[in-house]
Amino acid sequence: MPGENLSRDEAHERGRLLSVDGYDVALDVRSAVKGEGTFRSLTTIRFRCAEPGATTFADLLAPSVTSVTLNGTVLDPSAVFDGTRITLADLAAENTLTVDAQCAYSRTGEGLHRFVDPEDGEVYLYTQYEPADARRVFATFEQPDLKAPFTFEVTAPEEWLVLSNGAEEGEPSGGRHRFATTRPISTYITAVVAGPYHYARDSYRRTFEDGTELVIPLGALCRKGLAKHFDADDIFTVTKQGLDFFHDHFDYPYPFGKYDQAFVPEYNIGAMENPGCVTFREEFVFRGRVTEAAYERRANVILHEMAHMWFGDLVTMEWWDDLWLKESFADYMGALSLVEATRFRNGWITFANHRKAWAYRADQLPSTHPVTADIRDLEDAKLNFDGITYAKGASVLKQLVAYAGRDAFLEGARRYFKRHAYGNTRLTDLLSVLEETSGRDMAAWSRAWLETAGVNALTPQVTYDAQDRITELSVLQEAAASHPELRPHRVAVGLYRREDADGSLVRYARAEVDVAGPHTVVAELAGAERPELILVNDDDLTYCKTRFDEGSLATLRTRLGDLADPLTRALCWSAVWGLTRDGLMPARDYLDLVLRFSGRESDIGVLQTLHTQAQGALESYTAPEHREAAARALAEGALHELRVAAPGSDHQLAWARHFAAVAAEPADLQLLRGLLDGTARIDGLDVDQELRWTLLAALASADAADAAAVDAELSRDDTASGKRHQVRCLTARPDAGVKARAWADVMESDALSNALVEATISGFARPGQGELLAPYGERYFAAIERIWQDRSIEIGMAVVRGLFPFWRIEQATLDATDAWLTGHADAAPALRRLVSEQRDDLARALRAR
């Protein structure tokens, strides 16, 4: 990725010099259907310079530039364009730059991605830019603080649907579409979607107290091949509920006209908040039966992106240091609106058990960073779309709401939007408005929560008198030596015991307390009767690792499933998983808890998280001498729960998928084969096409299905999704030749699209194939620096993370990782960060074993 980086210092200097009045961008993408590799991009930028005579640059990643004209002077492209930047010298106070270029279609999901549907040969295009890939499509000043109005014109095949941020103006003529000029926005959230998409329409109406009416045209689109699966009505329902919620709470009408939501193929991320034209990964169009947790996740993503219309699009961070100003807020507001405006009332349970697990992992890596981070350049920015920026930031905001008060928090947001609309902000801008509305010292809160890294651990300490009443209950706070900050926490401490006739554990006492420093007494609970369980951070008010006293932990080992409240159970499951990851609870003990109590878990999202974590505990944290027995017990337990689950229920489907993931014994594989070919049946279990691929992947990985069986399945499902599944299944087979071809496809060629690279990596690195994959550890370390230099950052990240040799969790792998880090001190910092993160996971697994 040579020459593509942009440093913060360069951006600040250019931002000091320039202000941008507007872009006119004309794209001709008719070449997409001809199989050509490039398209014409004609861009005119009108901008001002604070220091006439200065020199700066515009950004463009393109194979070739036809012409560059600055203020009427035609410049020699070979003299001013180096493949990534266009030098602009001797600027006037007011300037006009026109660049005519041939830009490249992407196969990696960056820039203008071109996808050919194998089902019908149709071509689909969409853009994805964050943090800085608009320059792959048109000449730009590629940094978030140089906002401007954009006018797009797109020439495409006449039968295509074409969308952009603004509404289309008039009828297209000769395949030419012109779109309304946007309000000032950043380059990374501009968008174009083009192709023979299936398009559904609706509208949202809102009448405000002053009698004015807001009408927002709504659209939802997907590939034609997915139209029969597209539940646009449910998407529109959540969309309208979200718009109602944000209008009720933000007091600022949705500012970007229409609201299209495009579900697009081979998308690298979950979704992107392009104003007026939000893009999502098409896996949110469900081809088969999924659990309610999948619908909840889709709704949460829809609402997350909608929150960005205000937090991120209307008001944008100045530079990527303050990425949290949009992502943390969108994550928090997405969860809040999910719970309060939609049918998914248990969203905070998912947040506590699943979303925060992502944050806790990220915050214990060597690459952990404060929520407001030190982002030196674009490579740093790309890697900081992580669990800290999203989930920890959202958790911190949840703590802030408890600290400042909900009314003060939302009033601060309203003032923030009105004060900085269409502008850019820093941390201090938000803190100042929150101080106004709450009267709290936000500087001290920020220093503790936003400007330091690491996660604290909270542990109860309790003593009792002769009558079994609490004499003193305290909360002990600890921090890692590497990040010793002890933060202020607003926590609830709950006491639980058996009170119901059915034996359930319920809360009988609760107190909220401000924890500060290493030792805080919870005076309100003195005198309470002895509990069976003490839960610090009850109700999940703060961000911390939860620990237990000995008595509470003993209760969980025997009675975790008796906890009546689903959020309490989720918090306890999260805590014991944290103990397992930290090597404080043996993996066998954690798996025993899963075997004994997960079958009683009512929340389907929590159950699916437990399945994922149990597989991780088995593969990474269980000592080799215990793994075979643990695997057999896990499969037996999964099969039992599958057979007793209610027919046709979400739980039955979840247990079926989990059983396929852990099945290894011949009898288990025979059952999978029977479910696949119809000779076996489980009452109520619909083995649809997506579940068929799940079963086949398990069989292929166990050498119980050959290439012919995989290809035969593709003939049943000859679609884009089917092709991805086929590649994953083919490369999962435990055969040396198969692995060699898969390695070459990813590491020695760039012919595969991003989606097929992901599928190949997923199939290549299957659990239980360590001996077969052993030769690839050395080859990995020999290749990753070349991959990082030669491929796009998206593919580089996929390779470095996905092919790290976790198949050999042993000291030799750790030594090889350390040798690479020592011998490549001058490698790209972002690459070294990725490798060090993988090393940390490996070292953690060795400690846990």
Side-chain angles (χ1 to χ4, degrees), residues 623-700:
E625 62 270 22
H626 300 304
R627 193 172 306 119
E628 184 177 349
R632 188 164 53 250
L634 203 58
E636 289 173 357
L639 180 57
H640 169 76
E641 296 297 343
L642 170 59
R643 293 193 183 281
V644 302
S649 65
D650 281 0
H651 282 62
Q652 184 188 56
L653 178 60
W655 282 110
R657 292 186 174 278
H658 181 52
F659 174 63
V662 297
E665 295 296 311
D668 295 339
L669 298 174
Q670 183 61 36
L671 175 57
L672 296 183
R673 190 178 297 108
L675 291 171
L676 193 61
D677 64 23
T679 59
R681 188 173 181 274
I682 294 177
D683 185 30
L685 183 66
D686 178 18
V687 184
D688 60 22
Q689 187 58 64
E690 286 296 295
L691 185 53
R692 289 183 63 86
W693 282 116
T694 298
L695 301 176
L696 187 59
L699 291 168

Side-chain angles (χ1 to χ4, degrees), residues 562-606:
D562 291 340
L563 285 163
D565 180 67
L567 177 58
T568 303
R569 283 198 312 275
L571 292 170
C572 290
W573 279 120
S574 177
V576 294
W577 174 242
L579 292 172
T580 306
R581 291 192 73 249
D582 288 348
L584 300 175
M585 173 180 282
R588 285 183 297 161
D589 289 6
Y590 176 78
L591 292 174
D592 180 65
L593 289 172
V594 172
L595 284 168
R596 296 175 64 190
F597 302 123
S598 62
R600 298 171 61 183
E601 181 51 58
S602 61
D603 187 279
I604 188 63
V606 172

Side-chain angles (χ1 to χ4, degrees), residues 99-429:
V99 180
D100 192 349
Q102 289 294 313
C103 293
Y105 294 109
S106 167
R107 296 292 311 288
T108 64
E110 300 151 296
L112 181 61
H113 187 82
R114 177 180 179 270
F115 173 79
V116 181
D117 193 332
E119 189 172 0
D120 54 19
E122 296 280 17
V123 176
Y124 295 87
L125 306 177
Y126 64 85
T127 58
Q128 169 57 29
Y129 296 151
E130 192 173 42
D133 284 318
R135 56 194 171 146
R136 297 181 186 273
V137 177
F138 56 93
T140 74
F141 298 119
E142 190 79 284
Q143 56 192 75
D145 60 328
L146 288 179
K147 284 184 164 183
F150 286 81
T151 304
F152 281 92
E153 180 179 287
V154 180
T155 303
E158 292 192 30
E159 67 275 14
W160 277 16
L161 172 74
V162 182
L163 300 172
S164 186
N165 303 92
E168 186 164 359
E169 293 186 327
E171 294 296 320
S173 176
R176 181 174 296 174
H177 304 253
R178 185 171 177 84
F179 299 93
T181 302
T182 71
R183 300 298 299 267
I185 58 176
S186 300
T187 55
Y188 75 91
I189 50 175
T190 59
V192 170
V193 175
Y197 285 92
H198 167 74
Y199 188 69
R201 292 177 172 84
D202 204 335
S203 64
Y204 168 85
R205 294 178 180 273
R206 170 91 177 196
T207 301
F208 296 101
E209 290 183 358
D210 62 2
T212 60
E213 186 178 38
L214 176 67
V215 179
I216 304 173
L218 305 179
L221 56 150
C222 66
R223 286 187 294 117
K224 289 193 298 184
L226 288 175
K228 62 186 176 183
H229 305 292
F230 196 37
D231 52 342
D233 288 346
D234 189 57
I235 291 166
F236 286 138
T237 295
V238 173
T239 301
K240 293 174 186 178
Q241 291 168 333
L243 287 168
D244 274 339
F245 179 88
F246 291 122
H247 283 128
D248 286 343
H249 292 84
F250 286 170
D251 192 31
Y252 197 109
Y254 170 71
F256 297 110
K258 69 180 180 71
Y259 201 84
D260 285 317
Q261 296 176 98
F263 294 79
V264 298
E266 299 190 323
Y267 206 48
N268 284 324
I269 58 176
M272 184 64 206
E273 67 266 21
N274 316 306
C277 192
V278 184
T279 41
F280 298 81
R281 64 185 302 121
E282 71 176 16
E283 285 78 2
F284 286 124
V285 180
F286 304 122
R287 300 196 319 145
R289 184 165 178 271
V290 296
T291 69
E292 189 69 359
Y295 288 100
E296 181 191 283
R297 179 169 183 263
R298 183 176 71 182
N300 184 265
V301 174
I302 288 171
L303 297 169
H304 174 113
E305 304 309 321
M306 188 180 292
H308 273 310
M309 299 299 130
W310 291 266
F311 282 112
D313 294 358
L314 177 67
V315 184
T316 312
M317 71 276 155
E318 184 177 295
W319 177 247
W320 301 102
D321 305 77
D322 284 317
L323 175 63
W324 78 281
L325 280 174
K326 70 185 190 76
E327 295 301 349
S328 299
F329 278 86
D331 225 42
Y332 173 73
M333 295 305 303
L336 181 65
S337 58
L338 180 79
V339 171
E340 298 191 2
T342 76
R343 67 183 186 272
F344 303 104
R345 302 301 187 186
N346 288 338
W348 287 124
I349 297 175
T350 306
F351 183 84
N353 185 254
H354 177 73
R355 201 68 175 168
K356 288 177 81 169
W358 181 29
Y360 292 142
R361 174 189 176 270
D363 213 6
Q364 295 175 83
L365 291 170
S367 57
T368 187
H369 56 85
V371 174
T372 180
D374 179 24
I375 304 299
R376 298 161 296 182
D377 54 32
L378 291 177
E379 288 191 0
D380 275 358
K382 185 70 174 178
L383 268 61
N384 267 47
F385 289 84
D386 60 12
I388 295 172
T389 300
Y390 283 74
K392 179 180 179 179
S395 303
V396 165
L397 291 178
K398 196 166 185 275
Q399 169 82 351
L400 173 62
V401 171
Y403 174 70
R406 174 171 167 144
D407 290 344
F409 175 80
L410 290 172
E411 176 58 26
R414 291 188 281 268
R415 295 186 191 183
Y416 179 73
F417 300 142
K418 292 170 183 174
R419 194 168 299 173
H420 300 288
Y422 304 106
N424 297 84
T425 57
R426 298 181 178 182
L427 166 65
T428 52
D429 298 306

